[in-house]
Amino acid sequence: MDLREKIKNIPKTELHCHIDGSLRPSTIIELLRKNNLPLPVSNSSNIEDNFKISGNCGSLKEYLNKFDFPIKVMQKKEDLYRVTFELLEDAKKDGIRYIELRFAPYFHTAEGLKVEEVVEAVLSAMKDAESKLNIYSGLILCAMRHEPVSKSIAVINLARKYTDSGVVAVDLAGNESDFPPELHKAAFDLAYEADINITIHAGETGICKNIMKSINILHASRIGHGIFAYKDKSTLHYLIKNHVPLEMCPKSNLDTKAVGSYKEHPIKTYFEDGLRVTLNTDNRTVSNLNLVDEYMNLVNILGFTEAQILQVMRNGFLSAFCSEDLKNKLLNEFEKSII
Ligand SMILES: [Zn+2]
């Protein structure tokens, strides 16, 4: 069996995957048509290229523009259900056993859905996928940095309503350069007091100090990306000593120009230094890859060995926000599959 096939067949996790960045391009087109929305004006012969970064991404703006059409077609309950279920089908094809999906629920209330209806549509697709596809999943609700803290508090309160029905954590996402973590302290204090898991996008766009701020001020137990940790030795030391999982997404970091080339990505150094590195896609459609592709990139571009790949996979299970029972069951399955 070749390595790609082997990687595909091993049960894996994915802990950092945005729903709105991971819609099937064909579904975006279909839903734009169904909802009588304008199709993108295409410069390319293939209209689906509008939703992906092809070749070198020109700018962060170009990257962020890729989310416009997906969000437009995620405004109805049945459409939210469909794109979530399809994403879980795609994850299943990668051999993913447990995935944490995330999104910002208030992006999907533009056409009148109540925010609870938005969350329930996604949770219902996740529940159905568990019984029909045998894939486990958890939902992470994202607060947005550019929004006032009152909106973040609303997201945390929303998460509290659904912690027994599939919401596993909350996150803070968006423009890291202009909106530092401390602006949202009141919201994440509330999440911490309510015993909700917290992961924060930090150190993704050059600002290393946001990593420790996210841990110390916002109570993060996992960090989204964290690529700029290398800029401060004491941050690196803290992450290693406390086994803080990093949800790393190298191709996405290349697309947003956080690294100049895939080869320059620090994931291999971090792994060898003993950081708890996990591997994720971030946005499957925008970055035009799946999780198996990303594992192959670790091997082919960064020189990860097979044993190192298995440890990255193991780290995923160890870092999951699911119940301890499910974690132990899945870890057992994983260990048995690699004997
Ligand atoms: Zn992300």
Side-chain angles (χ1 to χ4, degrees), residues 16 18 201 225 282:
H16 193 126
H18 294 260
H201 280 75
H225 301 282
D282 207 7

PDB file of all heavy atoms in Angstrom, residues 16 18 201 225 282, ligand 1:
ATOM      1  N   HIS A  16      -9.429  21.967  13.349  1.00  0.00           N
ATOM      2  CA  HIS A  16      -9.562  23.376  12.937  1.00  0.00           C
ATOM      3  C   HIS A  16     -10.052  23.414  11.487  1.00  0.00           C
ATOM      4  O   HIS A  16      -9.258  23.349  10.546  1.00  0.00           O
ATOM      5  CB  HIS A  16      -8.213  24.086  13.093  1.00  0.00           C
ATOM      6  CG  HIS A  16      -8.295  25.581  12.997  1.00  0.00           C
ATOM      7  ND1 HIS A  16      -7.794  26.426  13.962  1.00  0.00           N
ATOM      8  CD2 HIS A  16      -8.830  26.395  12.054  1.00  0.00           C
ATOM      9  CE1 HIS A  16      -8.006  27.687  13.611  1.00  0.00           C
ATOM     10  NE2 HIS A  16      -8.633  27.693  12.442  1.00  0.00           N
ATOM     11  N   HIS A  18     -13.055  25.509   9.207  1.00  0.00           N
ATOM     12  CA  HIS A  18     -14.168  26.472   9.117  1.00  0.00           C
ATOM     13  C   HIS A  18     -15.180  25.963   8.093  1.00  0.00           C
ATOM     14  O   HIS A  18     -14.810  25.680   6.949  1.00  0.00           O
ATOM     15  CB  HIS A  18     -13.651  27.841   8.669  1.00  0.00           C
ATOM     16  CG  HIS A  18     -12.754  28.495   9.674  1.00  0.00           C
ATOM     17  ND1 HIS A  18     -13.197  29.468  10.536  1.00  0.00           N
ATOM     18  CD2 HIS A  18     -11.444  28.312   9.965  1.00  0.00           C
ATOM     19  CE1 HIS A  18     -12.191  29.870  11.310  1.00  0.00           C
ATOM     20  NE2 HIS A  18     -11.116  29.171  10.981  1.00  0.00           N
ATOM     21  N   HIS A 201      -7.699  31.880  17.870  1.00  0.00           N
ATOM     22  CA  HIS A 201      -6.777  32.149  16.759  1.00  0.00           C
ATOM     23  C   HIS A 201      -5.741  33.152  17.285  1.00  0.00           C
ATOM     24  O   HIS A 201      -6.106  34.278  17.642  1.00  0.00           O
ATOM     25  CB  HIS A 201      -7.501  32.822  15.594  1.00  0.00           C
ATOM     26  CG  HIS A 201      -8.288  31.907  14.716  1.00  0.00           C
ATOM     27  ND1 HIS A 201      -9.490  31.370  15.067  1.00  0.00           N
ATOM     28  CD2 HIS A 201      -8.029  31.458  13.451  1.00  0.00           C
ATOM     29  CE1 HIS A 201      -9.946  30.622  14.073  1.00  0.00           C
ATOM     30  NE2 HIS A 201      -9.090  30.651  13.084  1.00  0.00           N
ATOM     31  N   HIS A 225      -3.373  28.037  15.087  1.00  0.00           N
ATOM     32  CA  HIS A 225      -2.155  28.417  14.355  1.00  0.00           C
ATOM     33  C   HIS A 225      -0.935  28.559  15.277  1.00  0.00           C
ATOM     34  O   HIS A 225      -0.152  27.653  15.398  1.00  0.00           O
ATOM     35  CB  HIS A 225      -2.355  29.687  13.509  1.00  0.00           C
ATOM     36  CG  HIS A 225      -3.429  29.542  12.501  1.00  0.00           C
ATOM     37  ND1 HIS A 225      -3.255  28.861  11.333  1.00  0.00           N
ATOM     38  CD2 HIS A 225      -4.727  29.965  12.502  1.00  0.00           C
ATOM     39  CE1 HIS A 225      -4.384  28.872  10.634  1.00  0.00           C
ATOM     40  NE2 HIS A 225      -5.295  29.531  11.318  1.00  0.00           N
ATOM     41  N   ASP A 282      -7.953  24.118   7.974  1.00  0.00           N
ATOM     42  CA  ASP A 282      -8.473  25.483   8.125  1.00  0.00           C
ATOM     43  C   ASP A 282      -9.663  25.696   7.186  1.00  0.00           C
ATOM     44  O   ASP A 282     -10.797  25.760   7.635  1.00  0.00           O
ATOM     45  CB  ASP A 282      -7.387  26.534   7.860  1.00  0.00           C
ATOM     46  CG  ASP A 282      -7.632  27.835   8.608  1.00  0.00           C
ATOM     47  OD1 ASP A 282      -8.566  27.876   9.430  1.00  0.00           O
ATOM     48  OD2 ASP A 282      -6.882  28.807   8.379  1.00  0.00           O
TER      49      ASP A 282
HETATM   50 ZN    ZN B   1      -9.022  29.415  11.286  1.00  0.00          ZN
END
